[in-house]
PDB file of all heavy atoms in Angstrom:
ATOM      1  N   LEU P  52      -4.463 -35.970  -3.939  1.00  0.00           N
ATOM      2  CA  LEU P  52      -5.764 -35.461  -3.444  1.00  0.00           C
ATOM      3  C   LEU P  52      -5.602 -34.915  -1.997  1.00  0.00           C
ATOM      4  O   LEU P  52      -6.337 -33.974  -1.645  1.00  0.00           O
ATOM      5  CB  LEU P  52      -6.837 -36.428  -3.551  1.00  0.00           C
ATOM      6  CG  LEU P  52      -7.504 -36.768  -4.891  1.00  0.00           C
ATOM      7  CD1 LEU P  52      -8.387 -37.941  -4.853  1.00  0.00           C
ATOM      8  CD2 LEU P  52      -8.181 -35.536  -5.441  1.00  0.00           C
ATOM      9  N   ASN P  62     -13.748 -35.046   3.945  1.00  0.00           N
ATOM     10  CA  ASN P  62     -13.793 -36.411   4.523  1.00  0.00           C
ATOM     11  C   ASN P  62     -13.959 -36.404   6.034  1.00  0.00           C
ATOM     12  O   ASN P  62     -14.606 -37.290   6.605  1.00  0.00           O
ATOM     13  CB  ASN P  62     -12.430 -37.186   4.075  1.00  0.00           C
ATOM     14  CG  ASN P  62     -11.516 -37.517   5.143  1.00  0.00           C
ATOM     15  OD1 ASN P  62     -11.326 -38.703   5.505  1.00  0.00           O
ATOM     16  ND2 ASN P  62     -10.759 -36.451   5.651  1.00  0.00           N
ATOM     17  N   ALA P  93      -5.490 -42.837   8.906  1.00  0.00           N
ATOM     18  CA  ALA P  93      -6.045 -42.955  10.306  1.00  0.00           C
ATOM     19  C   ALA P  93      -7.280 -43.892  10.353  1.00  0.00           C
ATOM     20  O   ALA P  93      -7.899 -44.181   9.339  1.00  0.00           O
ATOM     21  CB  ALA P  93      -6.495 -41.618  10.875  1.00  0.00           C
ATOM     22  N   GLY P 115       7.767 -50.059  -3.731  1.00  0.00           N
ATOM     23  CA  GLY P 115       6.812 -50.578  -4.737  1.00  0.00           C
ATOM     24  C   GLY P 115       5.775 -49.562  -5.079  1.00  0.00           C
ATOM     25  O   GLY P 115       6.150 -48.401  -5.571  1.00  0.00           O
ATOM     26  N   PHE P 208      -7.511 -54.370  -5.518  1.00  0.00           N
ATOM     27  CA  PHE P 208      -7.549 -54.792  -4.127  1.00  0.00           C
ATOM     28  C   PHE P 208      -8.507 -56.016  -4.164  1.00  0.00           C
ATOM     29  O   PHE P 208      -9.606 -56.014  -4.606  1.00  0.00           O
ATOM     30  CB  PHE P 208      -8.023 -53.666  -3.228  1.00  0.00           C
ATOM     31  CG  PHE P 208      -7.120 -52.496  -3.271  1.00  0.00           C
ATOM     32  CD1 PHE P 208      -7.411 -51.440  -4.131  1.00  0.00           C
ATOM     33  CD2 PHE P 208      -6.027 -52.459  -2.515  1.00  0.00           C
ATOM     34  CE1 PHE P 208      -6.622 -50.302  -4.216  1.00  0.00           C
ATOM     35  CE2 PHE P 208      -5.109 -51.304  -2.567  1.00  0.00           C
ATOM     36  CZ  PHE P 208      -5.481 -50.274  -3.409  1.00  0.00           C
ATOM     37  N   ARG P 211     -10.773 -60.706   0.426  1.00  0.00           N
ATOM     38  CA  ARG P 211     -10.288 -61.859   1.173  1.00  0.00           C
ATOM     39  C   ARG P 211     -10.040 -61.419   2.648  1.00  0.00           C
ATOM     40  O   ARG P 211      -9.025 -61.949   3.252  1.00  0.00           O
ATOM     41  CB  ARG P 211      -9.079 -62.508   0.452  1.00  0.00           C
ATOM     42  CG  ARG P 211      -9.431 -63.065  -0.875  1.00  0.00           C
ATOM     43  CD  ARG P 211      -8.331 -63.928  -1.474  1.00  0.00           C
ATOM     44  NE  ARG P 211      -7.433 -63.170  -2.177  1.00  0.00           N
ATOM     45  CZ  ARG P 211      -6.510 -63.678  -3.062  1.00  0.00           C
ATOM     46  NH1 ARG P 211      -6.507 -64.969  -3.342  1.00  0.00           N
ATOM     47  NH2 ARG P 211      -5.588 -62.910  -3.750  1.00  0.00           N
ATOM     48  N   ILE P 221      -7.496 -69.901  10.378  1.00  0.00           N
ATOM     49  CA  ILE P 221      -8.486 -68.994   9.740  1.00  0.00           C
ATOM     50  C   ILE P 221      -9.865 -69.460  10.016  1.00  0.00           C
ATOM     51  O   ILE P 221     -10.228 -70.625   9.588  1.00  0.00           O
ATOM     52  CB  ILE P 221      -8.189 -69.009   8.211  1.00  0.00           C
ATOM     53  CG1 ILE P 221      -6.749 -68.666   7.901  1.00  0.00           C
ATOM     54  CG2 ILE P 221      -9.149 -68.117   7.481  1.00  0.00           C
ATOM     55  CD1 ILE P 221      -6.354 -67.230   8.184  1.00  0.00           C
ATOM     56  N   VAL P 234     -19.612 -62.081   9.468  1.00  0.00           N
ATOM     57  CA  VAL P 234     -19.901 -61.854  10.852  1.00  0.00           C
ATOM     58  C   VAL P 234     -19.455 -63.009  11.715  1.00  0.00           C
ATOM     59  O   VAL P 234     -19.767 -64.182  11.394  1.00  0.00           O
ATOM     60  CB  VAL P 234     -21.445 -61.537  11.215  1.00  0.00           C
ATOM     61  CG1 VAL P 234     -21.749 -61.330  12.606  1.00  0.00           C
ATOM     62  CG2 VAL P 234     -21.890 -60.441  10.230  1.00  0.00           C
ATOM     63  N   LEU P 247     -16.098 -69.963   5.048  1.00  0.00           N
ATOM     64  CA  LEU P 247     -14.718 -69.774   4.459  1.00  0.00           C
ATOM     65  C   LEU P 247     -14.855 -69.733   2.931  1.00  0.00           C
ATOM     66  O   LEU P 247     -15.029 -70.769   2.267  1.00  0.00           O
ATOM     67  CB  LEU P 247     -13.852 -70.949   4.894  1.00  0.00           C
ATOM     68  CG  LEU P 247     -13.278 -70.863   6.301  1.00  0.00           C
ATOM     69  CD1 LEU P 247     -12.521 -72.190   6.535  1.00  0.00           C
ATOM     70  CD2 LEU P 247     -12.227 -69.725   6.364  1.00  0.00           C
ATOM     71  N   ALA P 260      -8.689 -61.187 -11.020  1.00  0.00           N
ATOM     72  CA  ALA P 260      -8.164 -59.891 -10.758  1.00  0.00           C
ATOM     73  C   ALA P 260      -8.268 -58.957 -12.078  1.00  0.00           C
ATOM     74  O   ALA P 260      -8.559 -57.797 -11.975  1.00  0.00           O
ATOM     75  CB  ALA P 260      -6.691 -59.982 -10.325  1.00  0.00           C
ATOM     76  N   ALA P 297     -16.036 -59.379 -17.679  1.00  0.00           N
ATOM     77  CA  ALA P 297     -16.050 -58.301 -16.851  1.00  0.00           C
ATOM     78  C   ALA P 297     -17.244 -57.367 -17.007  1.00  0.00           C
ATOM     79  O   ALA P 297     -17.846 -56.835 -16.006  1.00  0.00           O
ATOM     80  CB  ALA P 297     -14.773 -57.432 -17.002  1.00  0.00           C
ATOM     81  N   GLY P 299     -19.847 -57.892 -19.735  1.00  0.00           N
ATOM     82  CA  GLY P 299     -21.021 -58.441 -20.516  1.00  0.00           C
ATOM     83  C   GLY P 299     -20.790 -58.247 -21.940  1.00  0.00           C
ATOM     84  O   GLY P 299     -20.309 -57.289 -22.404  1.00  0.00           O
ATOM     85  N   ILE P 337      -7.732 -52.416 -43.684  1.00  0.00           N
ATOM     86  CA  ILE P 337      -6.859 -51.217 -43.667  1.00  0.00           C
ATOM     87  C   ILE P 337      -6.112 -51.035 -44.942  1.00  0.00           C
ATOM     88  O   ILE P 337      -5.230 -50.182 -45.027  1.00  0.00           O
ATOM     89  CB  ILE P 337      -5.825 -51.291 -42.531  1.00  0.00           C
ATOM     90  CG1 ILE P 337      -4.864 -52.529 -42.698  1.00  0.00           C
ATOM     91  CG2 ILE P 337      -6.531 -51.391 -41.219  1.00  0.00           C
ATOM     92  CD1 ILE P 337      -3.656 -52.441 -41.857  1.00  0.00           C
ATOM     93  N   MET P 344      -1.392 -43.986 -47.365  1.00  0.00           N
ATOM     94  CA  MET P 344      -0.222 -43.422 -46.561  1.00  0.00           C
ATOM     95  C   MET P 344       1.117 -43.715 -47.356  1.00  0.00           C
ATOM     96  O   MET P 344       1.954 -42.826 -47.385  1.00  0.00           O
ATOM     97  CB  MET P 344      -0.145 -43.998 -45.180  1.00  0.00           C
ATOM     98  CG  MET P 344      -1.212 -43.409 -44.303  1.00  0.00           C
ATOM     99  SD  MET P 344      -1.035 -43.907 -42.543  1.00  0.00           S
ATOM    100  CE  MET P 344      -1.653 -45.604 -42.567  1.00  0.00           C
ATOM    101  N   ARG P 418       2.145 -66.585 -19.569  1.00  0.00           N
ATOM    102  CA  ARG P 418       0.965 -66.577 -18.688  1.00  0.00           C
ATOM    103  C   ARG P 418      -0.303 -66.329 -19.433  1.00  0.00           C
ATOM    104  O   ARG P 418      -1.422 -66.798 -19.137  1.00  0.00           O
ATOM    105  CB  ARG P 418       1.117 -65.588 -17.489  1.00  0.00           C
ATOM    106  CG  ARG P 418      -0.044 -65.492 -16.627  1.00  0.00           C
ATOM    107  CD  ARG P 418       0.261 -64.644 -15.442  1.00  0.00           C
ATOM    108  NE  ARG P 418       0.851 -65.386 -14.287  1.00  0.00           N
ATOM    109  CZ  ARG P 418       1.245 -64.893 -13.117  1.00  0.00           C
ATOM    110  NH1 ARG P 418       1.095 -63.544 -12.912  1.00  0.00           N
ATOM    111  NH2 ARG P 418       1.747 -65.578 -12.212  1.00  0.00           N
ATOM    112  N   ASN P 449       4.787 -63.999 -44.002  1.00  0.00           N
ATOM    113  CA  ASN P 449       5.265 -65.131 -43.187  1.00  0.00           C
ATOM    114  C   ASN P 449       5.948 -64.720 -41.925  1.00  0.00           C
ATOM    115  O   ASN P 449       6.897 -65.417 -41.521  1.00  0.00           O
ATOM    116  CB  ASN P 449       6.201 -65.974 -44.100  1.00  0.00           C
ATOM    117  CG  ASN P 449       5.601 -66.451 -45.378  1.00  0.00           C
ATOM    118  OD1 ASN P 449       4.438 -66.960 -45.401  1.00  0.00           O
ATOM    119  ND2 ASN P 449       6.198 -66.274 -46.483  1.00  0.00           N
ATOM    120  N   SER P 475      21.466 -58.579 -12.700  1.00  0.00           N
ATOM    121  CA  SER P 475      22.316 -58.048 -13.732  1.00  0.00           C
ATOM    122  C   SER P 475      22.436 -59.059 -14.898  1.00  0.00           C
ATOM    123  O   SER P 475      22.072 -60.216 -14.802  1.00  0.00           O
ATOM    124  CB  SER P 475      23.683 -57.784 -13.066  1.00  0.00           C
ATOM    125  OG  SER P 475      24.321 -59.024 -12.765  1.00  0.00           O
ATOM    126  N   ALA P 482      22.915 -67.788 -14.309  1.00  0.00           N
ATOM    127  CA  ALA P 482      21.796 -68.629 -13.966  1.00  0.00           C
ATOM    128  C   ALA P 482      21.589 -69.623 -15.067  1.00  0.00           C
ATOM    129  O   ALA P 482      20.618 -70.515 -15.056  1.00  0.00           O
ATOM    130  CB  ALA P 482      20.614 -67.854 -13.683  1.00  0.00           C
ATOM    131  N   ASP P 497      15.887 -51.876 -22.046  1.00  0.00           N
ATOM    132  CA  ASP P 497      16.317 -50.485 -21.730  1.00  0.00           C
ATOM    133  C   ASP P 497      15.927 -49.485 -22.784  1.00  0.00           C
ATOM    134  O   ASP P 497      15.457 -48.377 -22.459  1.00  0.00           O
ATOM    135  CB  ASP P 497      17.902 -50.465 -21.619  1.00  0.00           C
ATOM    136  CG  ASP P 497      18.378 -51.297 -20.374  1.00  0.00           C
ATOM    137  OD1 ASP P 497      17.587 -51.621 -19.496  1.00  0.00           O
ATOM    138  OD2 ASP P 497      19.599 -51.675 -20.400  1.00  0.00           O
ATOM    139  N   GLY P 506       2.516 -45.312 -22.885  1.00  0.00           N
ATOM    140  CA  GLY P 506       1.508 -46.374 -23.034  1.00  0.00           C
ATOM    141  C   GLY P 506       0.383 -46.181 -22.061  1.00  0.00           C
ATOM    142  O   GLY P 506       0.503 -45.449 -21.041  1.00  0.00           O
TER     143      GLY P 506
END
Side-chain angles (χ1 to χ4, degrees):
L52 280 175
N62 114 108
F208 299 96
R211 295 191 273 199
I221 304 292
V234 181
L247 279 173
I337 63 165
M344 285 190 283
R418 179 172 272 178
N449 304 313
S475 68
D497 295 342

